[in-house]
């Protein structure tokens, strides 16, 4: 594959994969640690930790982008890996629940700064437009594989060791990720036109608000979060309490959604070479609205079946990939090169803000008022987000949008320019 012939990208991708699996294994170990500390209150502990994660992602990512051009990006990525490794190493030493909250806050703060910085580096390393699209897809595949394989790897590891050893292993993984980043040549960010930190932090948000296609992406974030929350938050209770399944059944149901995402992400690079990103993303929104509506019908009618559930969860996974995978390409086509870090950081925060809205609906409303009401509200939000995206992102919205091709236009092959134009 031509993409992985790029040495710096290959090493950075390896660092991303190792860090992703480290985070996934930490999540499994954290659940066991929470039960060790809180027993029946473990769910509340994990829920609070997840809320802390979302809040930090929403707040810190824009601030990180504000300082990216003041720091060497390679040193920043390495430092964040080292910090996360140290935090994970300290987790098995805690004795109080509040210790968990503090350490998770530090861990997620590091992740909130690492992810937008990593995403902003990729366009400077992968300069061909079609290869960049494949790089976005590869990142999506890596995230999906982490969600599918981390629980399996953790289960295998726990047959031979206590969960405390998982923390040690994931800490080592973060350090390996840091070594891989050190082995790459990461160009420093171009100086931003904004001089004040808060001005730079808000610049990406303002860009979203004034750019039609990016306003559409803001609405699509809500569609993804509404559908995804059903899968992420409610699968366990739905499978165990409604269908009477086992923990293995929960894992298989989550795998169905992940498989849908994985399959769609694998074929999307070729699709995006031929079809406009807007068309693909709006199709994904329609798929997610259909999936959430089908889930509501399934639970409301009392006709929930294993086959129906597997199909709906797979459909939701496919829809999420159709919306998420092209997002980076649209961002890159909508801002100047020196504004890429701010745009990626803004999307990082805005997408997690959507999850911060939908997580409580799926979790708290689902627990207190039932899954039917919670899923109905989420389906309405998904429909509203899809409608908003259609209205906010006109079919032709190129006026007033600065396009930043991967290479100067006079050097860009005609294929790349036509592909970039499709992002609109």
């Amino acid at each position: 594959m031509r993409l992985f012939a790029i040495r710096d990208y290959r090493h950075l991708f390896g660092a991303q994969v190792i860090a992703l699996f480290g985070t996934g294994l930490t999540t499994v170990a954290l659940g066991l640690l929470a039960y060790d500390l809180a027993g029946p209150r473990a769910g509340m502990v994990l829920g609070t930790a997840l809320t802390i994660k979302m809040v930090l992602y929403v707040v810190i990512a824009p601030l990180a982008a504000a300082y990216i051009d003041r720091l060497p990006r390679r040193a920043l990525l390495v430092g964040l890996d080292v910090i996360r490794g140290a935090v994970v190493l300290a987790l098995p030493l805690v004795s109080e629940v509040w210790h968990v909250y503090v350490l998770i806050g530090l861990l997620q703060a590091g992740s909130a700064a690492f992810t937008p910085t990593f995403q902003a580096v990729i366009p400077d390393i992968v300069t061909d437009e079609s290869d960049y699209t494949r790089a976005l897809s590869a990142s999506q595949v890596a995230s999906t594989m982490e969600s599918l394989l981390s629980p399996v790897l953790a289960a295998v590891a726990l047959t031979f060791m206590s969960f405390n050893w998982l923390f040690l292993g994931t800490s080592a993984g973060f350090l390996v990720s840091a070594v891989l980043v050190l082995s790459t040549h990461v160009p420093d960010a171009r100086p931003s036109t904004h001089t004040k930190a808060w001005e730079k932090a808000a610049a990406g948000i303002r860009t979203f608000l004034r750019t039609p296609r990016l306003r559409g992406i803001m609405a699509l974030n809500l569609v993804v979060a509404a559908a995804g929350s059903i899968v992420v938050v409610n699968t366990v209770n739905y499978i165990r309490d409604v269908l009477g399944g086992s923990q293995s059944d929960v894992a298989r149901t989550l795998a169905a959604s992940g498989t849908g995402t994985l399959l769609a992400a694998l074929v999307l690079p070729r699709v995006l070479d031929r079809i406009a990103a807007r068309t693909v993303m709006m199709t994904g929104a329609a798929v997610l609205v259909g999936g959430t509506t089908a889930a509501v019908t399934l639970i409301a009618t009392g006709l929930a079946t294993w086959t129906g559930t597997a199909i709906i969860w797979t459909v939701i996974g496919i829809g999420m990939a159709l919306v998420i995978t092209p997002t980076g390409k649209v961002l890159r086509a909508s801002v100047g090169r020196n504004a890429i870090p701010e745009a990626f950081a803004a999307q990082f925060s805005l997408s997690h803000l959507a999850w911060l809205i939908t997580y409580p609906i799926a979790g708290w409303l689902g627990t207190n008022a039932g899954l039917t009401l919670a899923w109905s509200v989420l389906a309405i939000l998904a429909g509203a987000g899809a409608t908003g995206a259609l209205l906010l992102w006109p079919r032709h919205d190129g006026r007033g949008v600065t396009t930043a091709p991967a290479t100067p236009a006079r050097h860009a092959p005609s294929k790349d320019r036509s592909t970039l134009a499709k992002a609109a």
Side-chain angles (χ1 to χ4, degrees), residues 125-143:
I125 294 176
V126 183
T127 56
D128 179 79
E129 183 67 23
S130 61
D131 283 345
Y132 179 65
T133 301
R134 286 171 171 79
L136 296 175
S137 181
S139 293
Q140 180 64 50
V141 170
S143 298

Side-chain angles (χ1 to χ4, degrees), residues 56-68 112-120 200-205 208 221 331 335 339-353:
L56 288 173
Y57 275 26
V58 169
V59 172
I60 288 181
L63 294 177
Y67 289 97
I68 281 176
F114 184 94
T115 300
T117 305
F118 173 84
Q119 289 176 331
K200 292 164 63 179
I205 303 295
F208 268 76
N221 287 336
L331 286 177
V335 300
I340 286 177
E342 296 162 359
F344 272 94
Q347 166 60 8
F348 189 73
S349 286
L350 291 169
S351 62
H352 284 86
L353 178 61

Side-chain angles (χ1 to χ4, degrees), residues 397-411:
D397 73 322
R399 291 173 297 176
V401 177
T402 300
T403 302
T407 56
R410 62 181 179 273
H411 298 302

Side-chain angles (χ1 to χ4, degrees), residues 137-138 140-141 259-271 321 325:
S137 181
Q140 180 64 50
V141 170
T259 300
T261 303
L262 177 62
L263 293 176
L266 287 172
V267 302
L268 270 176
R270 294 182 183 275
V271 173
T325 303

Side-chain angles (χ1 to χ4, degrees), residues 156-170:
V156 172
L158 289 171
T159 61
F160 302 102
M161 63 186 73
S162 70
F163 70 86
N164 285 333
W165 287 99
L166 286 181
F167 290 119
L168 181 62
T170 54

Side-chain angles (χ1 to χ4, degrees), residues 196-243:
K196 296 180 180 179
W198 281 105
E199 180 185 355
K200 292 164 63 179
I205 303 295
R206 290 199 299 268
T207 299
F208 268 76
L209 293 176
R210 68 172 176 255
T211 307
R213 71 181 79 176
L214 299 186
R215 291 200 297 266
I217 286 180
M218 290 172 62
L220 290 172
N221 287 336
L222 182 60
V223 183
V224 171
S229 291
I230 292 177
V231 174
V232 174
V233 178
N234 296 136
T235 295
V236 173
N237 288 113
Y238 172 70
I239 296 299
R240 298 301 299 271
D241 301 337
V242 177
L243 294 181

Side-chain angles (χ1 to χ4, degrees), residues 54-77:
M54 291 296 107
V55 170
L56 288 173
Y57 275 26
V58 169
V59 172
I60 288 181
L63 294 177
Y67 289 97
I68 281 176
D69 64 346
R70 299 187 185 182
L71 300 170
R73 289 196 290 190
R74 185 175 69 167
L76 178 60
L77 291 171

